[in-house]
Amino acid sequence: MTQNQALFEYLLRLGDSDLILGQRLCELVGNAPALEEEMAIGNVALDLIGQARSWMTLAAEVASAAEIEGAGRSADDLAFTRDERAYRNLLIVEQANGNFADTMARQYLFDVWHFHLLSALSGSADERIAAIAAKGLKEVIYHLRRSSAWIKRLGDGTEESHAKMQDAIDEIWTYSGEMFIADEVDSLLADAGIGADLNQLRSLWQADVQALLAEATLNCPSMDEYMQRGSKQGLHTEQLGFLLAEMQFLPRAYPGASW
Amino acid sequence: MTQNQALFEYLLRLGDSDLILGQRLCELVGNAPALEEEMAIGNVALDLIGQARSWMTLAAEVASAAEIEGAGRSADDLAFTRDERAYRNLLIVEQANGNFADTMARQYLFDVWHFHLLSALSGSADERIAAIAAKGLKEVIYHLRRSSAWIKRLGDGTEESHAKMQDAIDEIWTYSGEMFIADEVDSLLADAGIGADLNQLRSLWQADVQALLAEATLNCPSMDEYMQRGSKQGLHTEQLGFLLAEMQFLPRAYPGASW
Amino acid sequence: MSPEERAFQEKIDAEIKIEPKNWMPEGYRRTLIRQISQHAHSEIVGMLPEKNWLTRAPNFKRKLQLLAKIQDEGGHGLYLYSAMETLGADRDEEVAKLHSGEVKYSSIFNYPALSWADMGTIGWLVDGAAIVNQVVLQRTSYGPYSRAMIRICKEESFHQRQGYQILLHMMQNGTDEQKAMVQDSINRFWWPAMMMFGPHDSDSPNSAQSMAWKIKRMSNDDLRQRFIDQTVPQLEFLGCTAPDPDLKWNETRGHYDFGEIDWTEFYDVVKGNGPCNRDRLRTRRKAIEEGTWVREAASAYAAKQKQKNAAA
Amino acid sequence: MSPEERAFQEKIDAEIKIEPKNWMPEGYRRTLIRQISQHAHSEIVGMLPEKNWLTRAPNFKRKLQLLAKIQDEGGHGLYLYSAMETLGADRDEEVAKLHSGEVKYSSIFNYPALSWADMGTIGWLVDGAAIVNQVVLQRTSYGPYSRAMIRICKEESFHQRQGYQILLHMMQNGTDEQKAMVQDSINRFWWPAMMMFGPHDSDSPNSAQSMAWKIKRMSNDDLRQRFIDQTVPQLEFLGCTAPDPDLKWNETRGHYDFGEIDWTEFYDVVKGNGPCNRDRLRTRRKAIEEGTWVREAASAYAAKQKQKNAAA
């Protein structure tokens, strides 16, 4: 694997996770517990889809410059015509919205990871990556502040909200471990000072999550529980296919059309 | 409008309503209140999709023979690559499944219409139509028996089921009137002895529905209430687009591929 | 007329804005609450037809634009609710009236968004019609409402141009299918957009008082004429037509003539019989109902925190 | 051994079927109930991965085929529950054990169906493996189970051929993308299908008693070998490969040699950690929970009717 191939793959992973979580949040427009929340969810979606666009634009540039697989495809092509098996988003972000606690549990566990990831990537040896990460980090600080607040509110709110929040954490937990599983791509880029060290991320993530869940009077499941994996090989849960069928409908139905 | 053009349009309407209701029922596999019900729903779906195939196959034949719009397209092309605005199914069949009472209210009001429609078409001057209708009628007799039974069980079951069933009837009612609105296509074919007389259907439907709802201790809304319409012009509710995005995904994503 | 009332009307006549703490007639307050709440509800409900295509937007640019537009609308809604609250109204109570059907929102949002082209048409025609209304409302007599309108108008103009660009792009760079999609969309939204200005002046009984109070500043029919006059050249530039055989330039009047609106449809939709009335309200009600436990949790948490802080 | 027990075993040895009213050892009954219920649950849960593509089947023919297959599986489930009930077990109780995780179903259904090709592979490999099991079970000692197997086997063979046809069509008439889809699907399902025959005989402690009672009639490893031997030529005819570098014909044994199964994965999935375990159970539980009011209504209605009939 060349460094450019690894880089292309790495950028797709970043972009796909942002895009798919953004798409899930788009589904919630008109469907949040308060208008202010709807606005907040929309803002997070806007940030994530914007970041996805930046990552995929860079991925398209890298592929074309290095003439590797994916060359000649635009960011839109990558987002709107790749198949489920070629998608590289983390399994956690494709999980359905569920109730508000489910939505927030998914968001919080992702946000903590996203925050530490972008912090690390802000110092990437690849300046293009550092620039996108630094810009994204400002947004993600706000995402994390918000989702942390909701974990506390729901965890330490009413009995009902506590039970729902604990269920939500317990259910989504099995999809959290995948964020820290490094493969050849990760190692190659971490060694080159371009990508993030996932082991380091794991410790930071664990400390933050354990502390916040404790503050929220919630039980934190063990990091040693069985964790689902597969997204780095494009092995997704059955939910992603339906999401893509909807998201990609127009470009699929009118191949080559410009919008 | 030539008779063949009218016929093509008429067959699409028949086929589209069957297919879309069949698709809605497919969504319920794994999601019915008892295994036996799941099987029954699956059987109805199987019948409806089979009938849709027959109607669309005939539509494709008619179009090709008469060299009108739609010529050269197969039944599969008609089903899996036509756009929302070209779809001609009744609005009632595209409505979401809702709870079991909603599903059954939609099914029953459609079944009564479908039964009388196919009864009439069994005597069509066009032998191809008469044959498909006669075969379908045998199946629809069973559909109607089953949905009638559920209207009674839920209407005259518990307080909860009665309330849910009444809500379901009240909600779906506005989509029932459209089944009887004749346009040029209907008139032309009814006059030629090929299509059904929708006025006659209306009386038959009204008598059946009023009697059954009374037996089920349910209030029957008025036929004079405001009724939604539009399907004959391809003006659908917002639900159909999502259904089609899912149903048509593969043929759209791989244009020209054979499966 | 009481001295207070006279002073109030004199201010109005002198184009001095009425502010929240000023005395105002009960009717003025009630009329404003109704109008501003309807306006706010319209922003919120108006997010829904666009949401319908948000998850199916065809590329990054359009998806981000559409989401940003929806967010702006939510922001307008919140801003307008605030203006309404300066009149002593309660947001939750007014939203409850929306959900019970007691208070309306703009009927235009009871029409379905059936194709991507509708995202263009809604921006161009629907926001366009809204702007014609709102530009005049920038001079409305109630200060907070007037200021809200100034802010909102800026963003709406941006949305309108964006919507027009969507259509223009499809007409200039699109396939035949895309062009047909645009024309079809215009056919469906043309008349509903015309209806956005309300009934004829002769059928609009409350207008006179609102004009005297300068809540309203132009009549329904005048606003409609202004909208048509500015829209037809844009329509022609697109290369599309309107579904109105009577539409033509009248040299004498210096305005476009146009056909009669189908008022039966207008009143049907107002009464709740539009294609999407029930869906729209159901969606809004469901969001609030399903969020009950969340809002309760937030209150409980806030109370606990307050107690902790007091104890500390 | 009691005289009853001896008589029972003599019947078994003489290949006489045990029927519901015959005396049988408690262990035999319990083992059968567990095995038949697991088999029935597997049919029901096995509908779900296919349902996942039912709404996205690419044409009429495939959609109707797939739905018919799913319906057959439901039928098998019901038929097997009936056979189980002849042993005095209660269907609702056994289903409750499924939902609580106390009783398992075939682990193969805990793998996701990620492409249309999986509809072919599941028919070909998964139903294929099931048939190898079931063909032998046609001679199982319990009459109702044996008869259920005879009936089920016929339909399963049909499904298997249909599944193979799906793959063959894609390989022979498909685009490169479709061919890649087939190979990818085989790569994903190959090992899980091999695991369907259970652990090695040496790790399968209950097998000996089941063999003596002729509930089981062939060992796990023998069944697996039979399946591989019949499957590899079909694989080659497809023009595909297996994700097993050790797979090759062994002239001496007259069988295919194959690589070692990843038993860690096997036990992980059995323990509930497969990709879809939780989804599958959640779906089934949800269906039953949400249907409570419907079943109550049906009972209430039936009671009313009975009362009416009695009064008449």
Side-chain angles (χ1 to χ4, degrees), chain A residues 38 47 86 176 182 192 196 210 222-223 227 258:
Chain A
E38 205 167 309
D47 291 342
S176 69
Q210 285 177 344
S222 160
M223 299 280 283
M227 294 291 181
S258 167

Side-chain angles (χ1 to χ4, degrees), chain D residues 286-300:
Chain D
K286 183 166 162 276
I288 296 306
E289 280 164 18
E290 288 184 356
T292 307
W293 70 271
V294 175
R295 294 189 303 276
E296 284 171 358
S299 304

